[in-house]
Amino acid sequence: TRIVHSNGRSIVVRYWDEHESRENQSVKIHLDTAVHRIHFLPNSSQFSVLLEDRRTFIVGGLTGTLESKTVLDMETEFLAYSPTGECCAVKKGELVEVLDTRTNQPIHRRVVVQEEFFDCAAVSHDGARVAIVSGSSANTDPDFDPDSNEVEVGAGVKLKVVRYIRVWDVTTSEPRCVFQQGLGPKITALSLSPKSELLIAGSEDGTIHMWDV
């Protein structure tokens, strides 16, 4: 089992023997800026790091070597890495694009997403598709979908939040499919299968959804 955690400006990767309940090895990495977010990539041999100064790294879990770096400006929001770590999706305003993490250059085309908020995203293995959970809110209206969740924003005012998952083909900038029915609670996890034929989403109420793409 591999465990990665951060303490301020350092990262520790621990290798844990579950059978003997002891640590076999650990790797410590010192950074010059506080860590904002960290997680293992699906291949389990690398993990991604997002720093407070907007730099993102792919790190080799066995060696602690910084293998690639992406620098984001203050207007750009990091969304997700592909499972291999070779590309990542970023958002700037209404534009979403996929970057090559080795060159920091866009690959394929940009996608325009006109929504009020984003929950999470997932990038396919080849970087050709991006799944994005986004949504909008409006004053309570009887015509709203009953599966949308209602949020109270104060002073007795309630908004209904409508969430969508769109799978975009970034080679054409066109949406491949849209899922909305039954999506009420906030989506907290999203993933595309290796061949992008399946999409799985997990919500904060513990529900898991799966669709053919």
Side-chain angles (χ1 to χ4, degrees):
T1 300
R2 296 171 183 170
I3 304 169
V4 59
H5 63 90
S6 172
N7 182 14
R9 297 187 178 187
S10 63
I11 298 171
V12 180
V13 185
R14 302 185 186 277
Y15 299 88
W16 192 262
D17 189 322
E18 293 180 337
H19 300 290
E20 299 184 10
S21 298
R22 65 181 179 86
E23 181 182 307
N24 283 337
Q25 179 187 357
S26 65
V27 177
K28 190 169 185 177
I29 306 163
H30 295 282
L31 301 167
D32 58 2
T33 306
V35 176
H36 176 66
R37 187 169 62 192
I38 186 170
H39 68 269
F40 269 109
L41 297 182
N43 60 25
S44 295
S45 63
Q46 298 170 307
F47 58 90
S48 65
V49 182
L50 176 62
L51 303 181
E52 293 288 356
D53 64 2
R54 314 291 293 166
R55 286 178 296 164
T56 69
F57 294 96
I58 297 291
V59 181
L62 294 174
T63 62
T65 304
L66 303 181
E67 298 180 356
S68 65
K69 178 177 73 173
T70 303
V71 181
L72 307 177
D73 59 45
M74 295 305 295
E75 297 178 353
T76 302
E77 177 185 355
F78 176 82
L79 295 179
Y81 277 109
S82 67
T84 61
E86 295 179 355
C87 54
C88 65
V90 298
K91 173 181 174 289
K92 189 171 184 177
E94 295 180 344
L95 297 178
V96 174
E97 61 184 0
V98 177
L99 304 180
D100 185 319
T101 55
R102 293 159 295 188
T103 64
N104 292 337
Q105 296 300 310
I107 58 177
H108 305 305
R109 301 182 181 183
R110 294 176 174 177
V111 170
V112 178
V113 182
Q114 296 176 319
E115 296 286 3
E116 290 182 29
F117 62 85
F118 287 72
D119 282 345
C120 58
V123 184
S124 65
H125 281 60
D126 59 4
R129 293 181 185 171
V130 178
I132 300 172
V133 182
S134 59
S136 59
S137 59
N139 288 325
T140 303
D141 186 296
D143 295 328
F144 267 79
D145 189 309
D147 286 322
S148 305
N149 60 323
E150 193 172 67
V151 177
E152 187 163 353
V153 295
V157 178
K158 290 186 177 181
L159 302 179
K160 279 206 171 180
V161 178
V162 183
R163 288 183 167 86
Y164 301 89
I165 299 179
R166 292 180 173 87
V167 179
W168 296 85
D169 185 333
V170 292
T171 64
T172 62
S173 295
E174 296 294 332
R176 179 177 176 84
C177 49
V178 180
F179 304 104
Q180 191 269 327
Q181 182 66 31
L183 295 181
K186 181 179 180 179
I187 301 297
T188 55
L190 195 65
S191 182
L192 285 161
S193 63
K195 295 183 179 180
S196 299
E197 76 275 22
L198 294 173
L199 175 69
I200 189 168
S203 59
E204 63 183 4
D205 67 349
T207 303
I208 294 176
H209 304 265
M210 183 180 294
W211 300 271
D212 291 317
V213 176

